[in-house]
Amino acid sequence: MRFTIISSITLLAATLTSGLVIPVDSASGEVIARSELADDAYDAMIYRRRTSKTKKVAIAAARPAKQAAKAQKKASFAGAAKAHKATTNMPARKSNFHVPAGGGKPAHTYSGKEVRKEVFNSHMEAQRLKGLSKTQQKKSPLKPFYNHPHEVPKPGDLKPLKGMATVVKGGNQQPGREWPMPNKATPGTTSPVRVITQEDNKGNHVFHGVIAHDQSRTPGPGYNDHFQVN
């Protein structure tokens, strides 16, 4: 029955648009009803065609940008994978890094596998930042790390990490890079823990360790000091 109605509508549309007259009782209003029905069917058909054409044009217009983004993502992944493979001194996957609780803040514990994953993510972010403006780069969680001396050092801990190359103004040595570990205790908030890498003279990265705030400290001198996590 549905097919019969649709066929009738299509036939009516074709008949009316060709100028033919349907012999029916005009007094009953059937001619008007059928005419309006045919017009509605015709309008719907035209609307579908126009909508389909507009949609195709929009898809075609968006395709180059989508393909470029896909290619960029693929290139970034390849670049990050290459940098990660060349990164040395990586921690053992089964090692552990523990940040004690303090000041009402929870403890944080990460495996070597989790640390290695975030080193890779730091390489991914470095790839993403290529070509962006300095303003955009500053918004990234990937930050330069200079291994500055502690404001309030602990015995034997004058700097966050030992063995990092010193950055001299005007020299060729690049600063390290710090990248935040995910906050397991409060997902979505900033973690006090960072992974640190630094380029060597061959352009490859060296993993130097994991650092974190001393959570027992209160706001004031030394509050933002970072200490190595073992």
Side-chain angles (χ1 to χ4, degrees):
M1 182 176 180
R2 182 180 178 184
F3 176 77
T4 304
I5 293 172
I6 294 173
S7 300
S8 299
I9 292 172
T10 305
L11 180 60
L12 281 169
T15 303
L16 291 172
T17 52
S18 64
L20 297 179
V21 178
I22 303 173
V24 294
D25 183 6
S26 60
S28 66
E30 191 173 354
V31 169
I32 296 175
R34 290 188 179 183
S35 176
E36 290 178 348
L37 188 61
D39 287 343
D40 289 344
Y42 181 75
D43 290 343
M45 179 177 64
I46 296 300
Y47 175 78
R48 283 196 300 271
R49 287 180 179 176
R50 288 178 178 174
T51 302
S52 178
K53 185 177 180 180
T54 302
K55 188 175 181 180
K56 287 180 180 179
V57 170
I59 292 173
R63 188 175 292 118
K66 188 175 181 180
Q67 290 175 338
K70 186 176 180 180
Q72 177 61 40
K73 187 175 181 180
K74 185 177 180 180
S76 293
F77 185 87
K82 183 178 179 180
H84 190 69
K85 186 176 181 180
T87 302
T88 58
N89 198 39
M90 293 286 274
R93 289 179 173 81
K94 293 185 179 180
S95 58
N96 282 303
F97 298 85
H98 179 72
V99 180
K105 300 171 185 175
H108 300 267
T109 301
Y110 301 94
S111 67
K113 183 179 180 180
E114 290 172 316
V115 169
R116 293 166 75 105
K117 179 182 177 181
E118 293 310 316
V119 171
F120 175 78
N121 286 338
S122 73
H123 290 312
M124 279 288 290
E125 179 67 1
Q127 291 291 322
R128 187 187 73 83
L129 295 177
K130 289 182 178 180
L132 297 184
S133 67
K134 289 185 178 180
T135 300
Q136 290 173 311
Q137 290 178 4
K138 286 181 180 179
K139 296 178 181 179
S140 170
L142 185 66
K143 305 292 184 184
F145 180 75
Y146 292 92
N147 202 34
H148 291 310
H150 292 133
E151 188 177 10
V152 181
K154 295 180 180 180
D157 280 331
L158 299 179
K159 291 184 176 182
L161 293 168
K162 298 175 182 178
M164 283 193 69
T166 303
V167 178
V168 180
K169 189 175 182 180
N172 295 324
Q173 179 60 55
Q174 295 294 316
R177 292 195 318 209
E178 66 171 78
W179 176 257
M181 293 292 294
N183 193 331
K184 294 180 180 180
T186 313
T189 62
T190 303
S191 163
V193 190
R194 305 284 187 272
V195 293
I196 307 297
T197 62
Q198 186 179 32
E199 277 190 20
D200 60 18
N201 54 12
K202 295 181 180 179
N204 297 322
H205 278 264
V206 178
F207 171 76
H208 281 286
V210 177
I211 62 173
H213 292 130
D214 180 346
Q215 298 194 112
S216 66
R217 291 187 174 185
T218 56
Y223 181 69
N224 289 318
D225 285 348
H226 287 83
F227 298 90
Q228 187 167 7
V229 178
N230 297 310

